Amino acid sequence: MTDEAGGDSPATTSQIQYRIEGTQQFGGKELLRLKTFAGDMVTKTELIAVDQTGIHSFAHTGRDGAMIGSVTPQIILPAKLKKGASWDCVDEIADVRIKQHFTITDVEKVSVPAGDYKAFRLHCEESAPMSVTIDRWFVDGVGFVKEIATLRSPMGDLLHRRTLELAKLPTAATKADVIVKKLVVGVSSQAVGDFGTEFSNATQNLYARWEGHDLRHGAKVRAVWIAEDVGDIAPPNYKIDEASATATSSDAHGLFTLSRPDDGWAPGNYRVEFYLDEALVETVKIKIK
């Protein structure tokens, strides 16, 4: 995945993985649970169905991680692919909700790191409220191999462009593939955003964020903040604070907040220990400068 913002911001690249992890009941249907991973962190969960009419999305997680159901199932791909076929769906690009009209414009050659293919090209172009163009390339027996989504301002300035290219052919799941950590954790200076390992002593809040996978109902998640080495301010491995939460669903998530002391954080080495039902499962080490 390559992300480009407008202005002089440099493009960023990263690897993501799509993984089907079992099924989930939603709206009276048993749907496939499709998860998007960036490293160990789940960035999106989508509930989809595959049948003789095609691939449809019934719900997906929002920015707060809660599942959002679609008013009507969204068409990801119709079963019958041919030039000129078209359909409507609704998506969200860079926090802008867009009603989209897709058309299969052609069958063309496309090259991505996973190989060279002859693919159906799906095209969408909308002008309101922002200028959005989306192109996707689909290959029978493989799936989507490329996507380019571009968002522009009413004046034509680039606001955001995301390019996805298939890096590796899909594989059938093995037992090793489906072993997932019960807790994915990290520390950030924001309630929503990237994790970090180094922070300024002027940082207002530190957030210990966690996301559960296949947790039992009522599982206890606890975080303990520890100052490992802050000089003469406190003895080694001094316990600063702790907080806990109870999981209300198998994929529960949350955060624990530690606020900046009035005179600032003491520079040094810290760690956050994450416990699941009293068992230590993850330790995150951070440094404050």
Side-chain angles (χ1 to χ4, degrees):
M1 178 172 69
T2 302
D3 272 306
E4 303 170 73
D8 298 326
S9 300
T12 60
T13 60
S14 58
Q15 288 190 332
I16 62 174
Q17 184 183 53
Y18 297 97
R19 194 185 303 167
I20 293 176
E21 292 192 348
T23 60
Q24 182 172 328
Q25 290 286 333
F26 187 87
K29 290 181 175 290
E30 187 171 8
L31 303 170
L32 292 170
R33 189 164 58 226
L34 175 64
K35 292 189 175 183
T36 304
F37 286 81
D40 289 330
M41 177 60 66
V42 177
T43 58
K44 183 179 181 181
T45 300
E46 196 166 5
L47 301 181
I48 66 172
V50 182
D51 56 30
Q52 67 274 14
T53 65
I55 307 174
H56 295 78
S57 172
F58 286 75
H60 64 85
T61 49
R63 287 180 61 84
D64 60 355
M67 192 62 70
I68 302 171
S70 302
V71 177
T72 58
Q74 300 298 306
I75 299 173
I76 298 175
L77 196 74
K80 295 183 179 180
L81 299 177
K82 62 180 181 179
K83 186 176 179 178
S86 63
W87 62 93
D88 294 321
C89 65
V90 176
D91 200 1
E92 194 171 277
I93 306 295
D95 298 331
V96 179
R97 194 169 176 82
I98 304 293
K99 181 178 180 180
Q100 302 166 341
H101 180 78
F102 279 95
T103 302
I104 298 178
T105 60
D106 211 343
V107 177
E108 58 187 39
K109 292 181 180 180
V110 60
S111 294
V112 295
D116 300 329
Y117 300 97
K118 192 174 183 180
F120 290 96
R121 182 173 181 170
L122 288 56
H123 179 73
C124 171
E125 189 167 340
E126 300 292 337
S127 58
M130 297 287 185
S131 171
V132 177
T133 58
I134 301 172
D135 285 285
R136 293 173 178 157
W137 288 263
F138 178 83
V139 177
D140 265 335
V142 177
F144 288 105
V145 299
K146 186 174 182 177
E147 175 182 298
I148 301 175
T150 304
L151 177 67
R152 295 186 181 276
S153 71
M155 301 300 292
D157 297 322
L158 177 66
L159 300 178
H160 183 252
R161 180 184 291 116
R162 180 190 62 202
T163 302
L164 295 167
E165 291 185 318
L166 184 66
K168 183 181 179 182
L169 287 174
T171 57
T174 65
K175 186 176 181 180
D177 291 331
V178 297
I179 295 176
V180 180
K181 291 182 180 180
K182 289 287 187 179
L183 283 184
V184 175
V185 301
V187 177
S188 176
S189 59
Q190 306 172 48
V192 177
D194 294 335
F195 291 141
T197 56
E198 292 189 356
F199 303 93
S200 162
N201 67 346
T203 303
Q204 289 300 311
N205 295 302
L206 291 175
Y207 299 92
R209 303 207 315 259
W210 60 273
E211 182 177 282
H213 298 284
D214 296 323
L215 300 178
R216 68 171 182 83
H217 184 83
K220 182 180 178 182
V221 179
R222 180 165 61 100
V224 180
W225 300 82
I226 295 172
E228 283 189 349
D229 181 6
V230 291
D232 297 332
I233 302 298
N237 298 311
Y238 175 76
K239 178 181 171 182
I240 302 171
D241 200 359
E242 70 172 76
S244 62
T246 301
T248 56
S249 65
S250 62
D251 56 354
H253 61 278
L255 56 80
F256 303 116
T257 307
L258 192 64
S259 298
R260 175 182 178 272
D262 292 338
D263 53 353
W265 301 100
N269 298 319
Y270 297 74
R271 72 176 184 269
V272 185
E273 297 178 346
F274 290 86
Y275 293 80
L276 179 60
D277 290 332
E278 302 307 322
L280 177 63
V281 293
E282 293 284 347
T283 299
V284 178
K285 295 198 174 190
I286 64 173
K287 181 183 293 290
I288 293 180
K289 295 184 174 183

